Amino acid sequence: MATRTRTLRLERGERVQAVCVLGSRLTIDINGAAPTEAQWFSMRHSQNIDAEICNSDTSKMKVINGEKLWSLESGTVMELSMNTPSTEANDGKVTIAYYGPGADTPIDKAGVYLTGVEISLDVDADRDGIVEKNNPNKASWTWGPKGQGAILLVNCDKDSPVSRMRDGDDDIVFGQKDLEDMSPMVLRTRGPEKLPKGYHLLLHITASNSDKIAVFLYQNKMYSHVLGRSKLHYKLRYTGTNEKEFFVEGLCFPDATFPGLVSVSVSLLETLMEGIPEAPIYTDMVTFRMSPLIITPNILEPVEVFVCSVKDNYLFLKEIKSLVSEAHYKISICFEYVNRGDRWMQDEMEFGYIEAPHKGFPVVLDSPRDGGLKDFPIKELLRADFGYVAKTALCSDVSSLDSFGNLEVSPPVTANGKEYPLGRIIIGTSFPTTNGRRMAKVVRDFLYAQQVQPPVELYTDWLLVGHVDEIMTFVPAPDRKGFRLLLASPRACFQLFEQKKKEGHGDAAMFQGLETKRYTISKILSTDTLRQENAYVQRCIDWNRDILKQELGLTEEDIIDIPALFMLEKNEKNGKAANGNALNGKAVSFFPNMVNMIVLGNELGVPKPYGPIIKETCCLEQNIRSVLLPLDLKCTFIDDIVSYHQKLGEVHCGTNVRRKSFAFKWWNMVL
Amino acid sequence: MATRTRTLRLERGERVQAVCVLGSRLTIDINGAAPTEAQWFSMRHSQNIDAEICNSDTSKMKVINGEKLWSLESGTVMELSMNTPSTEANDGKVTIAYYGPGADTPIDKAGVYLTGVEISLDVDADRDGIVEKNNPNKASWTWGPKGQGAILLVNCDKDSPVSRMRDGDDDIVFGQKDLEDMSPMVLRTRGPEKLPKGYHLLLHITASNSDKIAVFLYQNKMYSHVLGRSKLHYKLRYTGTNEKEFFVEGLCFPDATFPGLVSVSVSLLETLMEGIPEAPIYTDMVTFRMSPLIITPNILEPVEVFVCSVKDNYLFLKEIKSLVSEAHYKISICFEYVNRGDRWMQDEMEFGYIEAPHKGFPVVLDSPRDGGLKDFPIKELLRADFGYVAKTALCSDVSSLDSFGNLEVSPPVTANGKEYPLGRIIIGTSFPTTNGRRMAKVVRDFLYAQQVQPPVELYTDWLLVGHVDEIMTFVPAPDRKGFRLLLASPRACFQLFEQKKKEGHGDAAMFQGLETKRYTISKILSTDTLRQENAYVQRCIDWNRDILKQELGLTEEDIIDIPALFMLEKNEKNGKAANGNALNGKAVSFFPNMVNMIVLGNELGVPKPYGPIIKETCCLEQNIRSVLLPLDLKCTFIDDIVSYHQKLGEVHCGTNVRRKSFAFKWWNMVL
């Protein structure tokens, strides 16, 4: 509500006082103080004032005794503005002299004393990491490389080693590191040392923004919390030409009811009368957008791999450790006293980051799934420059589809003419036409509200566990779009097995060396239920394939089918997916599901499929190796059959990877 | 989530069945059913199918025994679509024959039986009042004269004389009149009488839309409620070439959490397997926007004037009746057994209307202010083709600023390069910098959510009652923008009185014939507190004047200052504004406030100001008459001093006017 043109009233025979903020205008009705008989008027003003007479017939102008006279007509107004800040109060002067019909001497006078001040609330609206002076676009916010408007981080890390809260959860500043997570804001004033009596500056925010941001003032080497929560305004003394330093921290991520924009205003208040609210006569505003949480896809470089140590996964852990250390990444093991027997590291959390031009840091998104790993993200990950945000829901609203094995993100894509430089989030849900399981509304709303990675919804409720990572993954590729989509494919598995049978290997058996029922290739090919169930699974996957092609702009060449077999469970099972839903006829993997892999650059940790051994080689391993080798991808097969597969998960479900940020800045997106 | 390209899998040696919806495509991997040794393939298809081979090297094509052979390469796919609906199931045929290196006779075959159907969910997406066929833009919704997308009315009237609920509050259709308030929707199908087994049609809505709309199906001369509330989907039998008639009613106005768009989809479901959710293989969608509530400004032609009869307003009532009947409008008097002594007809409700291309009707918006008139809108106004919507709030959140004397709307304006063809809502509030009274969030949110009349917020908390109608009104004008803004002006009053004093009428007295203290012009001009208080009031009004000029794009020539005087009340008063707030120093009218008038075309019912009598004429009456007469506006002065003015309101507060709709259609706005 920036009022840039203001009405000022003259008093006949007097000189009224007013403060004029540079960049604003005053409109003055010349008739307002004119004696009834006045027909002409003259106007003089000091050099620091720009004045213009409007709605006077200039053809009637005349000069009498060296004085230029305007014709006074109904509607004649004067517009004033100041071109430099005053050096002392009231150093701008305007004098109007009124003349009667004779126009020889003035019959009355009226005048204005003006004090010019410059007021500018400044932020880094051009997004170069530096607060500039009075950016004309600072009040609004636009996307894109030419976009303008400042950026805030949700101060969701914890710079104090002793605090149990995130930095944004209290109203104090914990040293330099905490400040760096905030966006600087400067209030610049220029003008005389003192203003005429009755003027104040007020910094203010709206009630709806009060739980979204906190503003700290740096003064006398102290940081005071001046706006936020119950503080909607903060009165500032005007102290002449000055710069006041503020720091703004974000408190809330964009969400269903918060689009992400917050504004801070400064107003110059004028006391109209004692005991009455002061009127804002000039308002300057800056607008910030909260950085969204950006989820990192597989193709970004890994930083740190997370995995649980539980009582029965020693060998798995050893193989993962060896893979990670060979690839020279960091590994973090979550021990049993923290994970309480919960091995599903993928499902408890998702890694992402937030970013502003001056700063960015990783953030862990804690899922509403609260297993044994419940406290791991907040207790073990939240720290200085490592943020934390949780989405919680009522127990009754949480299903297996809320585990973050069901939350992935594609590499950058272009689809239907739209660019997605940060990729698109991929989540699994039910058909819109059924009453099946869905991700909790609170999580879906949050993911959609981040805006920069618009979600694609797949149909995964046909799976017992119901996660997108059971049917797909993305791997980096040196050619084409820079990646391939790997899709689990019963069809590809049957084709492979048929070919092997034709080559005389019908007796080659799966699951060798395991205490499970052995299946030969011929047996699998001739088991009707397996055939039928996998035909159904293939159609479910094809349905998702069609959506992924359309929503990510993929062609057949961008997709690689990875052999997989599923079977339908007729009854609810114990374990990971035991969530109380009716699970009749939902699909689980028949053998370790190779697409459920960990992707570490060119190194892939693939669930060891225990496929039919032909010439001492597993033909499934050989198949996936042969299709991925041309892409310079190296497969390491990791035995997860007892420790994960039989508990309805695989390598991907049991691990999590923190990755580097995108080089692309999210604010450069064109939405 | 309309999937228009679908993957279909061949079976070697078999002919698979599929339904193909016209407008969609099937992609078929030719390699999928190819024997290992196949190098060539031929393809034949029936005339109702369009087929294309992709990713085959056409330079290698050859003709053997009259058969055209394509080279089979990895990635070779066939794209199929159907050009006409089938006359019987499976009447579309495609045959692929595979050839080995020799390419003389086929070594294997695969094929497809296709059934073509046309499915279209149709609405009036081009907004001409008629449901058209398969409008390509029906799934989205755009504003403007070239905009597309259907429109819904909130079925908030009451067509049943016996029901106590609004039509949309139940799930039944009350005859033809109720149907007319709904938007027609037609499901058109073309194809064979029967589809292959396992296909169904499903009409469906999302859970978040289930409380926003109801869908009724007309069948066997009955209307059944098929979607809405707990009903998210409705299964339909496919019955060949057919048109099914539906009627859609809106249940909710746009609001803070509901932007106003709702969609209905139809999907063709395919049974993949017994006992498993059916997969949607084709989805068609239509989108409706709920008509916003449009408030009618003063310049629209009146239809009906509402006024209360209370024990002490007999003369006022008589004068209003005479004014309305002279102007040939309808008058409705609300008697005491209904109004229970509450005379503030303006404050309890606001009139507006909703509109769709096929229908529109007036709607009363019931304010959260619940005085004696509380039940008047729902009991006396709600009826057939007269809608009702209430905004309620917690008592503690309701202030005098929630009365609808504080809700007005401007005539159509253009400001800052933006057109507002339906005007802008004007509400009074506090400075953003203070903790003063504000309109309840629930009302403000509602007004903003209607979108088509974006609110302008004035500062009115300085007034004891705090309503915008205490300082301004709009009157029609034959020139310029078609209207003038009238603003209450202490300045204009002092100027007038000074002139009259100079003309020798300093002894002329106000309030003649009343049992109140008499004030002469000289006395008023020399009373310092009155001078000071009105200087303050003038500045408050000027602050609003500057906002109105900016936000409505007005110039000085569009504004007329109407003489008014205010005084500041030091203590809380009984009466209309007794709402528990601290009211120290808030302004009330000193004499009946002329801008608080009723506008009936060119006839204005103006509060009789009881101004100083000069030559047997009230100089205030004469002043307003003389400035409005050139605009062809006739002032009738109505004595409200005892019955309204002394209770802190005037003519406008005591009346309400239902007006005709705008000729301009809201959906033609460019937002």
Side-chain angles (χ1 to χ4, degrees), chain A residues 78 123 272 302 461 575 602 611 670:
Chain A
M78 172 169 59
V123 288
L272 301 181
D461 187 36
N602 292 343
V670 181

Side-chain angles (χ1 to χ4, degrees), chain A residues 250-324:
Chain A
L251 305 179
C252 281
F253 279 92
D255 219 326
T257 57
F258 171 45
L261 292 176
V262 285
S263 294
V264 179
S265 300
V266 66
S267 289
L268 181 65
L269 302 187
E270 187 180 62
T271 307
L272 301 181
M273 208 172 179
E274 283 298 322
I276 288 290
E278 296 157 304
I281 59 167
Y282 181 88
T283 297
D284 199 28
M285 187 169 92
V286 293
T287 296
F288 297 89
R289 183 180 288 278
M290 218 62 87
S291 166
L293 176 63
I294 299 153
I295 316 275
T296 47
N298 277 352
I299 54 145
L300 292 176
E301 201 191 330
V303 176
E304 188 176 7
V305 174
F306 294 86
V307 63
C308 287
S309 163
V310 289
K311 60 175 181 295
D312 59 3
N313 77 338
Y314 174 75
L315 287 172
F316 174 86
L317 211 56
K318 203 174 140 190
E319 289 181 49
I320 291 282
K321 268 192 211 167
S322 143
L323 172 72
V324 175

Side-chain angles (χ1 to χ4, degrees), chain A residues 7 10 270 280 491 543 546, chain B residues 7 10 280 491 539 543 546:
Chain A
T7 297
L10 295 176
E270 187 180 62
R491 183 92 183 183
W543 202 87
D546 293 339
Chain B
T7 297
L10 294 177
R491 183 93 184 184
R539 295 185 82 164
W543 202 87
D546 293 338

Side-chain angles (χ1 to χ4, degrees), chain B residues 446-468:
Chain B
F446 177 84
L447 296 176
Y448 276 91
Q450 306 311 306
Q451 290 191 275
V452 296
Q453 299 177 307
V456 176
E457 300 198 23
L458 297 184
Y459 167 53
T460 58
D461 187 36
W462 58 275
L463 288 151
L464 179 61
V465 174
H467 295 176
V468 291

Side-chain angles (χ1 to χ4, degrees), chain A residues 2 6-7 9-10 32 55 202 233 270 272 276 278-280 431 433 491 495 536 538-539 542-543 546, chain B residues 6-7 9-10 32 202 204 270 272 276 278-280 431 433 491 495 536 538-539 542-543 546 550:
Chain A
R6 199 156 60 89
T7 297
R9 301 286 180 178
L10 295 176
N55 301 328
L202 194 82
H233 21 83
E270 187 180 62
L272 301 181
I276 288 290
E278 296 157 304
F431 284 142
T433 52
R491 183 92 183 183
Q495 270 184 324
Y536 159 71
Q538 186 64 58
R539 294 184 84 163
D542 283 345
W543 202 87
D546 293 339
Chain B
R6 198 157 61 89
T7 297
R9 300 286 179 179
L10 294 177
L202 195 83
H204 53 104
E270 187 179 61
L272 301 183
I276 290 290
E278 295 156 305
F431 284 142
T433 53
R491 183 93 184 184
Q495 271 184 324
Y536 158 72
Q538 185 65 58
R539 295 185 82 164
D542 283 346
W543 202 87
D546 293 338
Q550 181 177 310

Side-chain angles (χ1 to χ4, degrees), chain B residues 420-442:
Chain B
Y420 301 94
L422 303 170
R424 296 189 69 174
I425 284 170
I426 294 168
I427 55 177
T429 183
S430 293
F431 284 142
T433 53
T434 60
N435 294 325
R437 293 172 295 170
R438 288 195 160 72
M439 206 174 234
K441 184 169 159 30
V442 65

